Every structure is written in C-alpha cells, then in structure tokens.
C-alpha cells in the first residue's frame, strides 16, 4: 500500500510516509502524531509491531525537538522505550505525544508516550537528539547525512 505524504515539517522521510503518520502538533517544544496501523504493521499476536511503535515514538520526539528550531534537523543519539501494554492493531488510531524536556546548543532531551484510541498509554520513550544543519539541494531535498571520515563531535 502506498501513502501520500501527510507530514509537513520540512523533512521527507520515506519510511514515515509509508507508515502513514499524520502530523497534528509541531510547536513550542510539543508534538503529536497520529497513526493508524495497517495489517502489515502488526506482529504475530495481531497487535502493532514494537518496531512501528518505536518509530512513532522516535519521530514524535524528533518533531518535539525540532519544533523550537524548525530550520534544523535532528538525528537520534539514544532512545529508551518501555512497553506497558500492547498497542492495538484493530484499525484504531494511535497517537504519539512528545515534549522537549531540555535542550543545549547541540542536544535535545525529549520524551514521548504512545496512546491508543481510548487514551491508554501503551509505550513511553525518552530520547537524546543532536541538532544538525540541513543543507538544501533543491526544492524538496537536502544533502544526505553521510558519515564523514572523522567522527561527528557530540559537543
């Protein structure tokens, strides 16, 4: 199944587009992203696969980090996730809600919670992100983040 891009926060991420994430909030250190898991996003227990849940939480935290400086990109440095209960795979909407807890000149410290359609918390993540400059190459693209010969400083 192909999806039309529904996120409009300055970056095109094909995997996120494929999953069908919908941007709901992107401002002031807060974010919200809606997601309705498709049958191919479920695990063998017929609930949303943990990888899909973690992707939603990762993107939700990244959006919260970027919401205070939208001209910058972010890359995930570290992420921890606790799964509290299965995220349903019954066609109901899941929502990731995130917030920027603290930032330095180069790092963002974030958290996000994934909620089911009834508002129950299914998973919670904390994450650290590094701000990186986006280098425009055209109307809808940016230079890839290819690893340099020297490691990127996290200072």
């Amino acid at each position: 199944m192909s999806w039309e891009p529904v996120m409009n926060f300055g970056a095109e991420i094909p995997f996120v587009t494929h999953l069908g994430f919908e941007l709901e909030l992107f401002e002031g250190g807060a974010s919200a992203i809606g997601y309705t898991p498709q049958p191919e996003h479920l695990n063998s227990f017929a609930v949303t696969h943990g990888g899909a849940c973690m992707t939603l939480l990762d993107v939700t935290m990244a959006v919260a980090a970027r919401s205070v400086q939208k001209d910058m990109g972010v890359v995930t440095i570290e992420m921890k996730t606790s799964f509290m209960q299965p995220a349903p795979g019954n066609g109901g909407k899941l929502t990731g809600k995130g917030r920027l807890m603290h930032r330095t000149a180069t790092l963002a410290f974030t958290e996000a919670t994934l909620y089911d359609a009834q508002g129950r918390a299914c998973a919670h993540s904390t994450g650290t992100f590094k701000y990186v400059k986006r280098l425009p190459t055209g109307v809808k693209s940016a230079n890839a983040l290819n690893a340099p010969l020297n490691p990127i400083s996290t200072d």
Side-chain angles (χ1 to χ4, degrees), residues 35-145:
Y35 165 54
T36 302
Q38 300 303 302
E40 61 270 23
H41 304 158
L42 308 183
N43 65 20
S44 59
F45 296 103
V47 297
T48 305
H49 191 281
C53 293
M54 288 186 72
T55 300
L56 177 60
L57 290 163
D58 180 50
V59 174
T60 301
M61 291 187 294
V63 169
R66 288 195 57 237
S67 71
V68 296
Q69 191 171 357
K70 296 179 181 182
D71 63 325
M72 294 291 283
V74 294
V75 293
T76 309
I77 299 298
E78 173 272 337
M79 178 176 174
K80 178 204 180 291
T81 302
S82 295
F83 294 95
M84 297 174 276
Q85 64 180 328
N90 58 7
K93 179 181 168 186
L94 303 177
T95 303
K97 294 184 180 182
R99 77 178 182 106
L100 174 64
M101 299 168 59
H102 178 74
R103 84 163 279 185
T104 67
T106 58
L107 296 175
F109 301 88
T110 62
E111 68 177 356
T113 303
L114 184 158
Y115 297 93
D116 67 14
Q118 285 69 46
R120 294 179 296 228
C122 298
H124 182 80
S125 289
T126 57
T128 306
F129 294 81
K130 180 169 176 60
Y131 288 99
V132 294
K133 289 184 180 176
R134 294 196 161 279
L135 303 174
T137 59
V139 176
K140 295 180 95 178
S141 65
N143 283 341
L145 289 174

